[in-house]
């Protein structure tokens, strides 16, 4: 019999002989108890019962401790079953006992194990559950192998047992996408013996009428599947993954399940350990931790948010309607204030339309739609804001119009009511000029379409109270946004970086590249679109207006490429005007190279006396990514962002930067900041007086 280490499990209500043998301790996260001939093994490792070294050791010892019982019931304390591995252990060499061995100990145990699950059964949790003889789950329990989301494949038999248990098709669906299956679906796939209302009652029933012990999952055959299934899945994954490799790694590992388990399992383990050190896994883990970090900026530490259940949104155009919809979807009441009755009616139609869209797509129940509509009013009298604790302004991008809005709001709202602006580029300090109690003012910068885009920049002015910022973060969380704190600068974090990126791209056009090449180079890096396709999609006019605004203060020595302005003057404002950097066929959004635009670019270079030269895709992407990282480093240096993680999260959630590259700062860290600096020096030499290179010696 396996002799336990002793320290790793706790025993309660057990005969003294065994307790002595096992050297009872209070340190272990695994507790073994007995009720007659039924053993209970409970994992208690908050917050999510991750399979840390201590848990693995505890489970291994528990298998020994339960010998002699009729059945062992494996459960978890707290809000969930085992919901994954301990990611903080991933950078260190793996410590014994390894999870695959622990799962096999459970699977081979003379005493059969029943997994009784609730919450989420993810990654190592599902691997452990598949080693048990039986599985029962509380209603609503979620099952998945989310390793793909952190650039990995499972490492303890997940890809080897799952196809044996639920078939190859469903296993591909789960392992290659990170998708979570509900207990009910797992039940219909035959992977869960029962889905129950009350787990404790169900356990008692189950152990009383124990079914015959089934064949261990690893000894089963993968049910027959269509040979074309794999190729079809591969084609879909290649298309969807945009350069990310872990979905394909998972697909490959799943195919090893058609070999003997003794062959497939070691292959899976070896690949899992190798991938832990891949740049992709590092980047995805960085993104995972960064998301948690940005939610708790230093600036709100210790501050208490105010509870907000009703907001006013001023301006019901594109952004105001989206913000209102997002707030309604979070269960808030919304009063939308427009200029007049006609504009209010239009805003109402817009908001109802967005809600209806969700109903049509089957994303909202008709009763919910009714409730959302009832929580919404569109009005044109500012007095309606009198008792509302927070207002978000989304009127025209004009300082005088915005000032007037806040003057009217301040006149009717409580002196401590929170006032927020959704401005993209204007200085909130100018907007709030003259407003009493400026400690209640901040920026809440949503991204378009606001009811869909995840990112929210929370902009602090020098006067904003920590509690007001904390309220912004709490509201963002409730609206299911990823909120990032930003200080004030032109464009805040995201649009400032975008402006630098576009400027660098324009320099490349002037020096010899063409829009389609720049776009292709960035798509090759995993971005969904390059800078020119993106401009055509979102429209050229906002950035144009912004460049015009900046003209007065722009350093005359800075290189300024006018091609984009020329396009705007020609009314080529992007897809909505039928043409922009590209041409578009009627009713088709696919960009077509436009000889007219390309000739214009060549003519521009000639007029500037530039002899155009070829750039490789690597040269293009290298420059543009270096510019992004450099601007990010400056933003951190200036204290606009608290840390690199904030910059990365803004780019991932607001601008489609591939998560599997972890954001521009993580990318620069991965390739080495020295390389970024080299590219930056090149960019600087090609366009003198146009760049400020970040000075942080640890960074660029
Ligand atoms: P929009 O032109 O679609 O809507 C503005 C709305 O404000 C109109 O419905 C107008 O009737 C209303 N309005 C104007 N003056 C008003 C007043 N005094 N009282 C009440 N309502 C008034 O503009 P959009 O695109 O929605 O932008 C609004 C704000 O959001 C701007 O500050 C813009 O910079 C910012 N923003 C825009 C983004 C975009 O992608 N369009 C993204 C992020 C922020």
């Amino acid at each position: 019999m396996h002799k336990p280490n002793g320290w790793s499990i706790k025993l309660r209500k057990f005969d003294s002989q065994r307790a002595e043998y096992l050297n009872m301790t209070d340190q272990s996260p695994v507790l073994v108890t007995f009720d007659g001939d039924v053993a209970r093994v409970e994992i208690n490792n908050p917050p999510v019962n991750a399979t840390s070294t201590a848990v693995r050791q505890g489970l291994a010892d528990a298998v020994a401790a339960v010998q002699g019982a009729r059945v062992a019931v494996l459960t978890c304390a707290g809000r969930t079953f085992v919901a994954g591995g301990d990611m903080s252990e991933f950078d260190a060499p793996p410590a014994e006992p390894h999870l695959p061995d622990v799962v096999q100990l459970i699977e081979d145990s003379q005493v059969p194990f029943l997994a009784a699950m609730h919450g989420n059964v993810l990654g190592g949790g599902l691997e452990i559950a598949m080693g048990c003889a039986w599985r029962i789950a509380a209603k609503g329990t979620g099952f998945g192998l989310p390793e793909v989301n952190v650039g990995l494949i499972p490492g303890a038999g997940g890809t080897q047992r799952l196809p044996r248990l639920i078939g190859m098709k469903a296993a591909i669906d789960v392992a290659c996408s990170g998708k979570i299956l509900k207990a009910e679906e797992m039940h219909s796939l035959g992977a869960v013996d029962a889905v129950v209302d009350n787990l404790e009652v169900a356990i008692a029933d189950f152990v009383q009428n124990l079914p015959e012990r089934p064949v261990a999952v690893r000894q089963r055959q993968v049910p027959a599947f269509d040979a074309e299934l794999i190729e079809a899945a591969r084609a879909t994954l290649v298309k969807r993954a945009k350069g990310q490799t872990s979905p394909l790694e998972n697909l490959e590992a799943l195919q090893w399940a058609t070999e003997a388990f003794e062959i497939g399992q070691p292959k899976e383990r070896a690949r899992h350990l190798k991938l832990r050190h891949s740049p992709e896994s590092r980047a995805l883990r960085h993104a995972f931790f960064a998301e948690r970090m940005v939610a708790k900026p230093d600036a709100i530490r210790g501050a208490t948010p105010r509870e907000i259940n009703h907001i006013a949104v001023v301006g019901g155009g594109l952004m105001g309607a989206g913000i209102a919809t997002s707030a309604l979807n979070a269960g808030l009441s919304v009063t939308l204030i427009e200029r007049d009755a006609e504009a209010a009616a239009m805003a109402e139609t817009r908001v109802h339309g967005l809600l209806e869209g969700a109903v049509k797509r089957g994303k909202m129940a008709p009763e919910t739609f009714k409730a959302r509509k009832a929580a919404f009013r569109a009005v044109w009298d500012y007095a309606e804001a009198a008792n509302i604790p927070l207002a978000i302004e989304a009127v025209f991008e004009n300082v005088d119009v915005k000032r007037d809005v806040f003057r009217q709001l301040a006149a009717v709202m409580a002196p401590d009511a929170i006032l927020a602006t959704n401005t993209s580029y204007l200085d909130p300090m100018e907007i709030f000029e003259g407003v009493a109690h400026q400690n209640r003012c901040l920026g809440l910068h949503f991204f378009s379409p606001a009811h869909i885009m995840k990112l929210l920049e929370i902009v602090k002015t020098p006067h904003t109270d920590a509690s007001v910022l904390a309220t912004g973060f709490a509201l963002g969380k409730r609206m299911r946004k990823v909120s990032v704190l930003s200080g004030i600068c032109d464009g805040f974090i995201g649009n400032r970086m975008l402006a630098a990126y576009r400027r660098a791209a324009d320099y490349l056009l002037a020096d010899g590249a063409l829009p389609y090449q720049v776009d292709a180079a960035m798509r090759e890096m995993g971005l969904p679109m390059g800078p020119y396709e993106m401009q055509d999609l979102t429209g050229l006019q906002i950035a144009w207006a912004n460049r015009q605004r900046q003209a007065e203060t722009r350093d005359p020595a800075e290189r300024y490429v006018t091609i984009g302005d020329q396009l705007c003057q020609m009314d080529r404002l992007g897809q909505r005007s039928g043409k922009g950097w590209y041409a578009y066929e009627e009713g088709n959004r696919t960009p077509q190279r436009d000889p007219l635009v390309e000739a214009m670019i060549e003519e521009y270079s000639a007029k500037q006396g530039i002899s155009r030269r070829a750039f490789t895709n690597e040269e293009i992407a290298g420059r543009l990514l270096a510019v992004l990282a450099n601007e990010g480093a400056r933003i951190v240096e200036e204290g606009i962002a608290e840390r690199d993680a904030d910059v990365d999260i803004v780019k991932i959630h607001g601008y489609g930067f591939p998560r599997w590259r972890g954001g521009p700062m993580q990318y620069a860290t991965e390739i080495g900041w020295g390389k970024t600096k080299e590219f930056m020096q090149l960019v600087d030499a090609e366009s003198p007086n146009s760049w400020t290179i970040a000075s942080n010696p640890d960074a660029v």
Side-chain angles (χ1 to χ4, degrees), residues 11-210:
L11 279 171
R12 220 199 275 152
K13 280 197 252 161
F14 192 47
D15 64 85
S16 55
Q17 201 187 344
R18 236 179 238 247
E20 201 179 320
Y21 167 62
L22 289 164
N23 206 357
M24 215 168 127
T25 161
D26 279 340
Q27 302 304 310
S28 173
V30 179
L31 175 75
V32 178
T33 54
F34 284 80
D35 183 2
D37 57 1
V38 177
R40 177 90 163 214
V41 178
E42 187 188 65
I43 303 172
N44 187 1
N45 183 28
V48 296
N49 292 312
T51 54
S52 63
T53 308
V55 167
R56 297 195 304 273
Q57 185 65 59
L59 283 174
D61 292 348
V63 172
V66 301
Q67 295 309 313
R70 188 167 55 87
V71 57
V73 182
L74 177 62
T75 58
C76 283
R79 59 183 156 98
T80 180
F81 195 75
V82 175
D86 188 342
M87 279 209 279
S88 61
E89 288 184 359
F90 281 8
D91 286 322
E96 287 189 337
H98 304 306
L99 191 59
D101 302 333
V102 174
V103 175
Q104 198 152 328
L105 274 178
I106 293 173
E107 200 170 42
D108 290 345
S109 162
Q110 292 236 315
V111 181
F113 271 72
L114 163 68
M117 302 166 283
H118 70 293
N120 282 319
V121 183
L122 303 178
L126 182 51
E127 291 176 308
I128 292 170
M130 288 192 290
C132 294
W134 305 283
R135 287 159 291 280
I136 60 173
K139 268 189 186 147
T141 305
F143 292 82
L145 292 174
E147 285 83 351
V148 64
N149 295 335
V150 285
L152 298 174
I153 67 170
T159 61
Q160 303 307 294
R161 285 191 182 83
L162 194 62
R164 288 174 159 90
L165 190 61
I166 65 173
M168 190 56 93
K169 190 165 189 293
I172 290 174
D173 212 24
V174 172
C176 298
S177 71
K179 180 175 169 177
I180 306 234
L181 292 187
K182 286 284 166 221
E184 292 73 8
E185 294 170 87
M186 285 292 272
H187 181 55
S188 64
L189 288 165
V192 165
D193 298 271
V195 181
V196 302
D197 286 318
N198 183 322
L199 208 49
E200 286 306 321
V201 172
I203 291 171
D205 272 2
F206 202 94
V207 299
Q208 222 167 40
N209 309 297
L210 218 50

Side-chain angles (χ1 to χ4, degrees), residues 293-369:
M293 241 149 69
V294 300
K296 297 185 186 102
D298 294 343
I300 65 166
R301 190 161 296 159
T304 312
R306 269 187 254 170
E307 195 179 328
I308 305 286
N309 292 309
H310 189 174
I311 65 168
V313 174
V314 188
L318 178 75
M319 291 306 292
I323 295 167
T325 304
S326 183
L328 290 166
N329 285 339
L332 293 147
S333 297
V334 177
T335 300
L336 192 150
I337 305 174
E338 257 291 351
R339 286 184 288 181
D340 49 41
E342 198 187 331
M346 274 166 63
E348 183 173 82
T349 308
R350 245 175 242 133
V351 171
H352 285 179
L354 293 176
L355 293 171
E356 253 156 22
V359 179
K360 277 188 197 140
R361 288 194 308 278
K363 297 241 155 107
M364 189 185 288
E367 312 82 70
T368 315
F369 174 60

Side-chain angles (χ1 to χ4, degrees), residues 192-492:
V192 165
D193 298 271
V195 181
V196 302
D197 286 318
N198 183 322
L199 208 49
E200 286 306 321
V201 172
I203 291 171
D205 272 2
F206 202 94
V207 299
Q208 222 167 40
N209 309 297
L210 218 50
E212 196 182 319
R213 184 171 182 168
V215 175
V217 174
R218 79 168 191 279
Q219 277 153 6
R220 300 182 198 173
Q221 292 284 321
V222 176
F225 61 91
D226 194 344
E228 281 159 25
L229 175 70
I230 303 287
E231 278 327 300
R234 191 191 318 281
T236 313
L237 291 176
V238 166
K239 211 161 147 205
R240 216 191 294 147
K242 296 200 168 68
Q244 184 178 348
T245 60
S246 51
L248 291 162
E249 294 277 1
N250 274 281
L251 184 65
E252 190 186 352
L254 287 167
Q255 291 171 76
W256 299 331
T258 57
E259 303 173 38
F261 185 86
E262 293 65 34
I263 297 174
Q265 154 84 14
K267 282 198 207 173
E268 181 206 64
R269 181 70 184 165
R271 186 66 63 87
H272 166 86
L273 292 176
K274 184 172 159 221
L275 290 177
R276 278 191 188 188
H277 303 288
S278 71
E280 180 174 310
S281 179
R282 263 196 297 273
L284 286 165
R285 278 182 277 150
H286 163 79
F288 178 88
F289 288 118
E291 272 160 4
R292 276 141 193 85
M293 241 149 69
V294 300
K296 297 185 186 102
D298 294 343
I300 65 166
R301 190 161 296 159
T304 312
R306 269 187 254 170
E307 195 179 328
I308 305 286
N309 292 309
H310 189 174
I311 65 168
V313 174
V314 188
L318 178 75
M319 291 306 292
I323 295 167
T325 304
S326 183
L328 290 166
N329 285 339
L332 293 147
S333 297
V334 177
T335 300
L336 192 150
I337 305 174
E338 257 291 351
R339 286 184 288 181
D340 49 41
E342 198 187 331
M346 274 166 63
E348 183 173 82
T349 308
R350 245 175 242 133
V351 171
H352 285 179
L354 293 176
L355 293 171
E356 253 156 22
V359 179
K360 277 188 197 140
R361 288 194 308 278
K363 297 241 155 107
M364 189 185 288
E367 312 82 70
T368 315
F369 174 60
K370 251 189 174 165
R372 301 277 185 262
K373 260 174 52 172
F376 176 74
R377 289 181 66 219
V379 301
W380 58 96
D381 181 358
Y382 278 75
E384 300 269 1
N387 297 314
I388 300 177
L390 185 147
I392 303 172
E393 163 279 313
V395 302
F396 303 136
E397 187 78 336
N398 175 298
V399 113
D400 296 323
V401 179
K402 287 185 189 287
R403 268 192 198 149
D404 191 49
V405 165
F406 285 110
R407 191 185 51 73
Q408 297 194 60
L409 287 173
V412 296
M413 293 174 83
D416 65 346
I418 296 175
L419 302 177
T421 175
N422 179 48
T423 184
S424 301
Y425 289 101
L426 300 175
D427 183 347
M429 291 301 284
E430 285 182 29
I431 293 175
F432 294 125
E433 210 176 271
V435 174
H437 315 294
Q438 293 212 1
N439 53 351
R440 59 175 166 155
C441 299
L442 80 167
L444 290 178
H445 183 217
F446 291 84
F447 287 70
S448 177
H451 61 299
I452 292 175
M453 290 291 286
K454 280 266 180 216
L455 183 63
L456 172 63
E457 283 179 330
I458 297 190
V459 184
K460 68 170 198 283
T461 79
H463 308 302
T464 317
D465 265 353
S467 69
V468 171
L469 291 175
T471 306
F473 273 86
L475 185 67
K477 189 169 176 194
R478 189 155 166 204
M479 289 168 79
R480 311 183 95 182
K481 303 292 178 198
V482 177
S483 305
V484 178
L485 186 68
S486 172
I488 296 178
C489 64
D490 206 323
F492 311 122

